[in-house]
Amino acid sequence: MTFFDVLSLVGGIALFLYGMDVLGKSLEKAAGSQLKSILSKLTNSTIKGLLLGVAVTAVIQSSAATTVMVVGFVNSGLMQLGQAVGVIMGANIGTTVTAWLVVLFGISFDIDLAAVPLIAFAAPLLLLRSERLRNLGNTLIGLALMLLAIHILRDAVTHFSTLSSFENYITLLRGHGHWSPLLFVLVACLVNVAGDLLLVARLGMDAAAAMTAVLQSSSATTALAIILCSTGVIPFKCAMALILGDNVGTTLTANIAATMTNTDGKRAALSHLLFNLVGVLWALPLLAVLARGIASLVAAFGGVSPLLNGSPSQAVALALFHTLFNVVNTLLLAGFIPQAAHALDRLIPGDRHAK
């Protein structure tokens, strides 16, 4: 392993995060300045809250970003805790758009053929007077940067997979039988938590700066899980476990932001962690069953079973699992929002306005 190899991997992740940041901010500007006011007002029912969480997160490409916004609204009194929990649940579904972007634009064809012409088309739009067209140009450039980053990551992962040290590490994680998926869940959690803590430590507790830096970290982990699996480095079930762990690890972002808020803000952030943790607790023991179910669904549409290493359908199957898992988890828990709000009151006691 050379220093250049490490730089390639880190650079690919950094480019992916930057591309998502550009894409999300440009789409948010294109949606207009009323995005936040819409988010705070259209939550007078569970269904509306869920759909709003899905829509906003699909646009800005980050469940953590939506959750941080929601924590802010709860802190300022613009949203009740029960409303916030519904939006946060919906955000988990909206964030699965990232996996489909990787699948649709990053795995099935040569990215270079699309990314560079996309930048060439978008660059002139940045010179126009129309703010809407400039936002469109920035959106397309953000997408192109993500595609180039996926290309770099795919090459870096392919190279790392040939190194004996990396191969030994993966073999070690895979060599624990039924415990292996749990180890991959923990690895994904630790990667997200360590990355967030390092960035926060470097930036200090300036909430705005720290949150901007860590909003998209889970998206990079999801992309890496798909690339690792589709290139044959890890089996399908282990990649599923990485995605489950990623769902838990990403909740640190909102909980860091909530340290600066009142009691209800802290409760809203904790709901994100508990919601995702409950999902992992029921899905992990059923991982083998879920993997066979996804494989059967893919086979029903004429695809090759993703349980076979090197299967061309593994990337699609992982994106499908990511979406279905978050949808099912939301449907299972959405009916218990009032009870969840009551439980959060007991877990974090005190006046809602107290810090």
Side-chain angles (χ1 to χ4, degrees):
M1 184 189 306
T2 66
F3 183 63
F4 180 77
D5 295 328
V6 176
L7 282 181
S8 295
L9 185 61
V10 174
I13 294 173
L15 187 62
F16 184 87
L17 298 179
Y18 179 70
M20 287 203 71
D21 186 56
V22 172
L23 177 67
K25 286 180 178 177
S26 301
L27 283 172
E28 186 176 352
K29 289 179 181 177
S33 59
Q34 296 182 342
L35 180 62
K36 290 186 178 181
S37 63
I38 292 172
L39 182 63
S40 65
K41 293 176 181 177
L42 299 183
T43 52
N44 55 2
S45 73
T46 299
I47 298 296
K48 285 184 179 180
L50 289 172
L51 293 177
L52 197 59
V54 172
V56 172
T57 307
V59 169
I60 63 179
Q61 298 278 313
S62 172
S63 62
T66 304
T67 305
V68 169
M69 291 168 63
V70 168
V71 167
F73 290 132
V74 173
N75 182 58
S76 61
L78 294 174
M79 189 180 292
Q80 300 298 314
L81 181 60
Q83 296 172 311
V85 174
V87 176
I88 289 170
M89 285 183 175
N92 267 35
I93 298 174
T95 195
T96 62
V97 169
T98 300
W100 289 106
L101 284 175
V102 174
V103 170
L104 295 175
F105 298 110
I107 300 297
S108 59
F109 64 94
D110 189 349
I111 294 171
D112 291 336
L113 296 178
V116 176
L118 198 58
I119 293 175
F121 174 78
L125 298 179
L126 303 180
L127 304 176
L128 301 178
R129 292 185 176 182
S130 170
E131 185 177 358
R132 181 172 296 180
L133 290 177
R134 290 200 305 272
N135 287 330
L136 174 61
N138 278 317
T139 300
L140 295 177
I141 287 177
L143 176 60
L145 292 177
M146 286 175 60
L147 301 184
L148 287 173
I150 293 169
H151 178 73
I152 294 169
L153 286 171
R154 187 171 57 187
D155 286 349
V157 166
T158 302
H159 179 69
F160 272 110
S161 66
T162 64
L163 301 176
S164 58
S165 57
F166 184 79
E167 203 170 297
N168 292 338
Y169 178 67
I170 294 297
T171 302
L172 179 65
L173 289 176
R174 293 172 55 182
H176 294 275
H178 296 300
W179 293 101
S180 291
L182 176 60
L183 292 177
F184 276 93
V185 167
L186 294 175
V187 166
C189 287
L190 290 173
V191 166
N192 274 282
V193 170
D196 287 359
L197 287 177
L198 285 172
L199 283 168
V200 171
R202 183 173 180 181
L203 295 170
M205 285 309 296
D206 179 346
M211 290 310 103
T212 300
V214 300
L215 286 182
Q216 309 289 355
S217 60
S218 66
S219 298
T221 311
T222 301
L224 272 175
I226 292 174
I227 292 169
L228 284 168
C229 184
S230 63
T231 53
V233 177
I234 60 175
F236 179 67
K237 195 163 70 170
C238 291
M240 292 170 66
L242 279 177
I243 289 175
L244 289 179
D246 176 57
N247 264 26
V248 175
T250 189
T251 62
L252 178 67
T253 303
N255 282 278
I256 293 174
T259 60
M260 317 298 284
T261 68
N262 60 25
T263 300
D264 258 5
K266 292 181 176 67
R267 290 167 179 161
L270 182 61
S271 73
H272 193 201
L273 170 61
L274 294 180
F275 172 66
N276 286 356
L277 189 59
V278 168
V280 170
L281 289 177
W282 70 256
L284 189 58
L286 300 175
L287 204 59
V289 176
L290 295 174
R292 289 195 295 270
I294 293 292
S296 299
L297 193 57
V298 170
F301 286 91
V304 180
S305 173
L307 298 176
L308 301 173
N309 280 346
S311 167
S313 63
Q314 284 181 326
V316 172
L318 279 173
L320 184 62
F321 165 71
H322 194 201
T323 301
L324 290 179
F325 164 71
N326 281 298
V327 169
V328 171
N329 196 41
T330 299
L331 292 176
L332 287 175
L333 299 178
F336 299 97
I337 289 177
Q339 291 85 348
H342 180 66
L344 288 165
D345 287 343
R346 300 187 66 180
L347 287 171
I348 305 180
D351 183 80
R352 58 179 298 180
H353 300 294
K355 287 194 176 182

